[in-house]
Amino acid sequence: MSKPNDTEHRAEIIAALRDFADQIESDPTIPTPDPGSIHVWSFLMRSEGTQSERFAAVHTFAEAHGATVRITDKDDRQAAAHFGPIELTVHAFGDEQPAPQPRVVTRADDAALITA
């Protein structure tokens, strides 16, 4: 799974965020963004590692940032953390799409992390 540790890709994102901040700071023609509407998503796709690796990455993110892991209606895993007014959601896609069952899950009781 390369996305979380892809140094070059991360550097591009960091540079873009810094440029965005500089633009908002220096260009008065840009309206002030609504602090309740700044959302950034990090998607861990099915092609990136195993389902267990993707789900574990969401749990690791959540544990590091005091967030809750939620199981979506498509049995994916996601967690959101706030950095000031910016909300970052890490979303890992599951291998299958069972019937909808959204709920909260911890690493200890996440059956999808248990390997055979």
Side-chain angles (χ1 to χ4, degrees), residues 29-51:
T29 66
I30 298 174
T32 302
D34 176 3
S37 67
I38 303 172
H39 303 279
V40 178
W41 289 78
S42 180
F43 292 105
L44 303 175
M45 309 305 271
R46 289 182 183 95
S47 62
E48 297 176 282
T50 66
Q51 175 177 284

Side-chain angles (χ1 to χ4, degrees), residues 22-112:
D22 291 345
Q23 290 295 319
I24 291 173
E25 183 177 53
S26 66
D27 185 347
T29 66
I30 298 174
T32 302
D34 176 3
S37 67
I38 303 172
H39 303 279
V40 178
W41 289 78
S42 180
F43 292 105
L44 303 175
M45 309 305 271
R46 289 182 183 95
S47 62
E48 297 176 282
T50 66
Q51 175 177 284
S52 290
E53 289 171 332
R54 293 188 306 273
F55 287 3
V58 174
H59 281 280
T60 298
F61 169 79
E63 291 162 0
H65 299 285
T68 300
V69 174
R70 299 197 181 280
I71 298 176
T72 71
D73 61 346
K74 295 184 178 180
D75 208 34
D76 299 336
R77 302 296 186 273
Q78 70 179 29
H82 287 87
F83 301 88
I86 299 170
E87 180 180 86
L88 171 61
T89 300
V90 176
H91 183 107
F93 290 96
D95 290 340
E96 297 183 24
Q97 306 255 330
Q101 296 180 27
R103 59 200 181 279
V104 172
V105 65
T106 65
R107 183 186 293 263
D109 64 9
D110 193 338

